[in-house]
Amino acid sequence: MLVRVLGTAAGGGFPQWNCGCPGCGSARQNPDTVPGRLQSGMAVSSDGSHWMLVNASPDITRQIELFLRPDLPAVTLRHSPIGRIFLTNADLDHVLGLFQLREGGGLDLTAPSAVRASVQEGLNFDRVLGAYASVEWREAPEDWAATGNGALDVKAVPLDGTDSPRYWVPDRVGLVQAVGYLFRDRITGRTVGIFPDVAKMTPDLHATLESCDLVFFDGTFWTNDEMVRLGLTDRDAAAMGHLPISGPGGSLEKLRALDSARCVYLHINNTNPILDPSSPERRELNAAGVEVAEDGARFEL
């Protein structure tokens, strides 16, 4: 199984076009030492030629051009390396890229029913995209199911504490609004977990992560109040549906307790100091043996 990191920044990318926070300033002034990042997205493949996406950011066509097409064999005049697309939630930074894939001829989408409803009804998605390409929806599987991409299986992991997207708030209390995905290679038995947005670390989720060989995890915020302290919002990380990295009960404490999984942060907000490789926060991660994903990074399981 091959896993390719297509982008590592949270919505808006890094630096964010309208932001003058210290992190964005450093990325503009010192791009060689604090590199810019595309918006969060992942790709999984059994052979390196046919890929499945986890989310589709507004940067998706650039990501495909940079990180997937260079490894493809010679193809016909028109060709897409993208097969199924798995949506973890209905956030705009995870679904807007779908509109840019309309030239591919058809979209094969997997999502929980509430996420599908938000995209279909809130964004009028099927009507708009249906004018350009076929759209097929599948329910996110609660048990292991074949992906159709080689000997790879997939399973959706429901996540607690995530609300409907702000653009569509229907009366669907109690429905799953976010999932992570596990991909398992039937031949090697190895498993990767992809969890870009996590609001709470429950015992069930922790046990799931224990079963993985490689975990990509929500690294949006370092502290619960970093955006509040900068005066950018009055909503903390918890209110935005993200478990912060640091502090008691933070994700770093939980991830470093995993027995065997290699843990990698992604979906990192522009305010998060771990984006600076020389920061004390990054050194703390290094000492804990937890990594920060880089755009274009390639993993093989």
Side-chain angles (χ1 to χ4, degrees), residues 87-167:
L87 301 179
T88 61
N89 60 22
D91 285 357
L92 288 178
D93 54 311
H94 288 162
V95 302
L96 285 181
L98 298 174
F99 290 95
Q100 298 187 63
L101 296 175
R102 65 189 182 277
E103 298 95 346
L107 296 177
D108 185 343
L109 307 175
T110 296
S113 58
V115 173
R116 172 180 177 173
S118 293
V119 174
Q120 285 182 310
E121 300 171 38
L123 298 178
N124 204 14
F125 181 83
D126 286 20
R127 181 178 178 184
V128 174
L129 261 291
Y132 300 92
S134 63
V135 179
E136 179 181 355
W137 288 93
R138 305 171 192 256
E139 181 67 18
E142 296 181 0
D143 294 314
W144 289 108
T147 63
N149 188 297
L152 300 183
D153 294 330
V154 64
K155 178 181 179 180
V157 180
L159 300 175
D160 292 344
T162 300
D163 296 327
S164 300
R166 281 186 283 174
Y167 65 80

Side-chain angles (χ1 to χ4, degrees), residues 236-250:
D236 61 18
M240 296 184 195
H242 296 284
L243 180 68
I245 294 174
S246 66

Side-chain angles (χ1 to χ4, degrees), residues 39 49 58 71 96 128 134 150 178 183 234:
Q39 294 173 84
S49 296
D71 294 332
L96 285 181
V128 174
S134 63
F183 294 91
D234 59 359

Side-chain angles (χ1 to χ4, degrees), residues 223-243:
T223 62
N224 191 49
D225 65 345
E226 68 188 54
M227 289 191 69
V228 176
R229 286 187 289 104
L230 288 169
L232 296 174
T233 182
D234 59 359
R235 301 170 70 223
D236 61 18
M240 296 184 195
H242 296 284
L243 180 68

Side-chain angles (χ1 to χ4, degrees), residues 7-293:
T8 52
F14 180 68
Q16 184 172 303
W17 66 274
N18 67 334
C19 186
C21 74
C24 289
S26 294
R28 293 188 182 103
Q29 295 165 15
N30 307 292
D32 291 336
T33 55
V34 185
R37 293 169 179 265
L38 300 173
Q39 294 173 84
S40 177
M42 301 289 295
V44 181
S45 175
S46 64
D47 61 8
S49 296
H50 303 87
W51 291 89
M52 301 175 290
L53 299 182
V54 178
N55 297 326
S57 85
D59 297 323
I60 187 60
T61 54
R62 185 179 175 201
Q63 292 167 338
I64 292 171
E65 192 69 22
L66 285 174
F67 304 130
L68 301 184
R69 285 201 65 86
D71 294 332
L72 296 181
V75 295
T76 57
L77 196 60
R78 293 287 193 190
H79 171 74
S80 170
I82 305 305
R84 292 175 65 179
I85 303 171
F86 297 84
L87 301 179
T88 61
N89 60 22
D91 285 357
L92 288 178
D93 54 311
H94 288 162
V95 302
L96 285 181
L98 298 174
F99 290 95
Q100 298 187 63
L101 296 175
R102 65 189 182 277
E103 298 95 346
L107 296 177
D108 185 343
L109 307 175
T110 296
S113 58
V115 173
R116 172 180 177 173
S118 293
V119 174
Q120 285 182 310
E121 300 171 38
L123 298 178
N124 204 14
F125 181 83
D126 286 20
R127 181 178 178 184
V128 174
L129 261 291
Y132 300 92
S134 63
V135 179
E136 179 181 355
W137 288 93
R138 305 171 192 256
E139 181 67 18
E142 296 181 0
D143 294 314
W144 289 108
T147 63
N149 188 297
L152 300 183
D153 294 330
V154 64
K155 178 181 179 180
V157 180
L159 300 175
D160 292 344
T162 300
D163 296 327
S164 300
R166 281 186 283 174
Y167 65 80
W168 183 250
V169 187
D171 183 16
R172 293 189 175 93
V173 176
L175 296 183
V176 174
Q177 300 290 345
V179 297
Y181 288 100
L182 304 179
F183 294 91
R184 183 178 65 188
D185 189 313
R186 277 181 245 133
I187 297 173
T188 67
R190 305 195 75 191
T191 302
V192 59
I194 300 177
F195 297 85
D197 294 273
V198 178
K200 298 178 180 178
M201 180 69 83
T202 63
D204 285 347
L205 177 56
H206 193 271
T208 295
L209 300 182
E210 286 273 16
S211 72
C212 295
D213 298 284
L214 175 62
V215 172
F216 293 92
F217 199 83
D218 184 342
T220 309
F221 298 114
W222 179 257
T223 62
N224 191 49
D225 65 345
E226 68 188 54
M227 289 191 69
V228 176
R229 286 187 289 104
L230 288 169
L232 296 174
T233 182
D234 59 359
R235 301 170 70 223
D236 61 18
M240 296 184 195
H242 296 284
L243 180 68
I245 294 174
S246 66
S251 64
L252 181 58
E253 177 183 272
K254 305 297 184 180
L255 294 181
R256 75 201 312 177
L258 298 179
D259 291 334
S260 58
R262 180 180 180 184
C263 298
V264 187
Y265 281 120
L266 80 167
H267 196 274
I268 305 163
N269 198 58
N270 57 73
T271 57
N272 192 329
I274 67 172
L275 290 170
D276 183 347
S278 65
S279 67
E281 291 83 1
R282 179 71 80 89
R283 290 196 293 272
E284 184 174 341
L285 293 188
N286 293 340
V290 179
E291 304 170 42
V292 175

